[in-house]
Amino acid sequence: MTHQDPPVLDHAALVLIEFQREWLDATGGMQPYIQDRVQFDAAVSHAVRVLQAARDAHLPVIHVGYDFEAGHPELGRVRYGLREILRTSGLFSGEGSQFAPDFAPRAGEFVARGRIGVSAFAGSNLDGFLRNNRIERLYLSGFALQTCVESTLRDAHDRGYEAVVVEDATAAFTPEQREYVLDRVVPIFGARVSAAALVAALKQASRPV
């Protein structure tokens, strides 16, 4: 599937990555990292529309976040990388790990549990849910594009899924990061689609026959 292809909804799901208060609250711990506010705000706005269209079309919706115990004991005493940043900063524990109101899971929507790594699959029950429910295609939306979304894309590829990044319903910290991931990384591991194209396909699917 290339980014010019129309979205395919059979055996598909929308995967929302880290639409949590740590990102979306004005005082959230991830706010200082956002250098391109226009890109970020646009991604949130587009994601709201994609989520509503997915719900109207009864497309499975999957919520993925972090929810660490106080002190982040799950991450150990690592000294490097994102695990070290999460542990020392105290991010995604307590209120910060709650899903933002516009993205609060509804009854029947799957919330992945146990995630401790950058990929949505790392340590979580996501892969088991997907395989047991015969979901093969993942539409990825969320934060940040150059870290958790990209890692999920790569991981999904290696596990045999078709992963499609909803290109304007995800944001990187900078324009340069966004351009690199979408133009150089995504074609190797999956595909990309605009929020408008995905919403149009979902609306078509939700129309009565």
Side-chain angles (χ1 to χ4, degrees), residues 21-40:
R21 294 180 62 178
E22 210 73 90
W23 280 103
L24 299 184
D25 282 5
T27 57
M30 295 304 300
Q31 286 288 312
Y33 296 95
I34 300 169
Q35 301 176 46
D36 186 344
R37 175 59 56 180
V38 172
Q39 180 189 161
F40 180 81

Side-chain angles (χ1 to χ4, degrees), residues 15-19 43 47 140-145 149 166 169-172:
V15 181
L16 300 171
I17 300 173
E18 292 178 34
F19 283 92
L140 305 180
S141 171
F143 311 108
L145 174 61
V149 176
V166 188
T170 181

Side-chain angles (χ1 to χ4, degrees), residues 8-202:
V8 177
L9 303 180
D10 292 340
H11 302 285
L14 174 65
V15 181
L16 300 171
I17 300 173
E18 292 178 34
F19 283 92
Q20 295 170 277
R21 294 180 62 178
E22 210 73 90
W23 280 103
L24 299 184
D25 282 5
T27 57
M30 295 304 300
Q31 286 288 312
Y33 296 95
I34 300 169
Q35 301 176 46
D36 186 344
R37 175 59 56 180
V38 172
Q39 180 189 161
F40 180 81
D41 290 346
V44 174
S45 178
H46 286 127
V48 168
R49 291 194 288 273
V50 169
L51 174 57
Q52 186 58 57
R55 287 169 168 167
D56 291 343
H58 304 289
L59 187 78
V61 174
I62 298 168
H63 303 264
V64 179
Y66 285 122
D67 188 9
F68 297 110
E69 295 295 322
H72 296 58
E74 306 96 323
L75 301 182
R77 305 299 297 178
V78 66
R79 297 184 297 167
Y80 306 108
L82 183 59
R83 285 171 56 198
E84 194 270 343
I85 294 172
L86 290 170
R87 180 179 61 81
T88 58
S89 66
L91 291 167
F92 295 102
S93 180
E95 290 186 358
S97 66
Q98 296 174 359
F99 290 103
D102 287 343
F103 298 92
R106 292 185 180 178
E109 295 178 351
F110 184 71
V111 179
R113 305 292 186 189
R115 176 182 174 225
I116 58 172
V118 184
S119 165
F121 292 94
S124 80
N125 55 358
L126 176 59
D127 190 59
F129 173 82
L130 296 173
R131 296 191 187 282
N132 289 335
N133 288 278
R134 296 174 174 81
I135 295 171
E136 302 170 354
R137 185 172 296 103
L138 310 179
Y139 289 96
L140 305 180
S141 171
F143 311 108
L145 174 61
Q146 81 284 358
T147 52
C148 298
V149 176
E150 179 183 340
S151 291
T152 302
L153 169 74
R154 290 170 178 262
D155 204 348
H157 170 273
D158 288 350
R159 292 170 185 261
Y161 297 102
E162 293 184 359
V164 184
V165 175
V166 188
E167 60 188 9
D168 46 357
T170 181
F173 294 151
T174 69
E176 293 79 13
Q177 290 170 341
R178 169 185 166 81
E179 180 180 2
Y180 178 81
V181 174
L182 291 180
D183 293 345
R184 303 291 294 276
V185 177
V186 169
I188 299 172
F189 298 100
R192 56 194 280 195
V193 68
S194 70
L198 181 55
V199 167
L202 289 165

